[in-house]
Amino acid sequence: MKSRQTSFIILIADDDDDDCMLTQEALAESRLANAARIVKDGEELMDYLYNRGQYTDKKLAPRPDLIFLDLNMPKKDGREALREIKADSQLRSIPIIVLTTSKAEEDIHQSYDLGANSFIIKPMTFSSLVEVMKTIGKYWFETVKLPL
């Protein structure tokens, strides 16, 4: 039986380099993920999850414990990727937090309809982002039980 881990793999799917950097820094600041990975679009996200292309080595692309998903990405957007992940019996148990700049009610409803576990609008300040990451860490990695 696999034991509970002390470090968690967070996969960030976002095409904005600045947002990715800030999210990684906020994760580090909140002592959450020492193993954050980044993919730039929905196609790369699916390649990572299915260990295809540049992600065939499972040691370099391990299954994430949590996915931060931006909705607006090139090639395959977050909505399409979310639909595909939640339709796959092997992937659907991975919690997905939509982390986006969109405040549109339609995006919120559609994200939950497609199976998102949470919808968070990207905070405007770094300190607010750190607080969000601390809250996410406490909830997803201390409070709830995730499947092994």
Side-chain angles (χ1 to χ4, degrees), residues 5-44:
Q5 61 216 59
T6 53
S7 67
F8 300 94
I9 296 162
I10 294 177
L11 183 57
I12 302 165
D14 194 327
D15 64 316
D16 186 303
D17 291 335
D18 291 337
D19 284 354
C20 289
M21 183 191 69
L22 287 172
T23 302
Q24 281 188 299
E25 288 177 11
L27 286 168
E29 182 92 9
S30 60
R31 293 178 177 77
L32 218 191
N34 50 3
R37 308 285 202 290
I38 295 174
V39 293
K40 297 295 184 185
D41 60 59
E43 285 183 8
E44 192 178 344

Side-chain angles (χ1 to χ4, degrees), residues 68-122:
F68 288 137
L69 181 65
D70 186 31
L71 291 180
N72 302 307
M73 297 183 294
K75 296 184 182 175
K76 179 182 288 196
D77 73 10
R79 294 162 200 83
E80 294 172 273
L82 179 59
R83 181 181 291 111
E84 195 172 328
I85 292 165
K86 292 303 182 178
D88 185 307
S89 63
Q90 300 298 308
L91 301 176
R92 76 170 57 118
S93 65
I94 301 170
I96 297 178
I97 296 175
V98 172
L99 185 63
T100 188
T101 54
S102 174
K103 297 177 173 91
E105 233 8 82
E106 180 184 336
D107 284 338
I108 297 168
H109 284 288
Q110 185 181 30
S111 294
Y112 283 113
D113 284 347
L114 292 173
N117 298 88
S118 300
F119 187 101
I120 297 174
I121 297 165
K122 290 178 182 174

Side-chain angles (χ1 to χ4, degrees), residues 19 22-24 26-27 30 99 122-134:
D19 284 354
L22 287 172
T23 302
Q24 281 188 299
L27 286 168
S30 60
L99 185 63
K122 290 178 182 174
M124 298 304 287
T125 66
F126 181 71
S127 60
S128 297
L129 184 59
V130 170
E131 285 307 309
V132 166
M133 293 305 152
K134 285 180 180 175

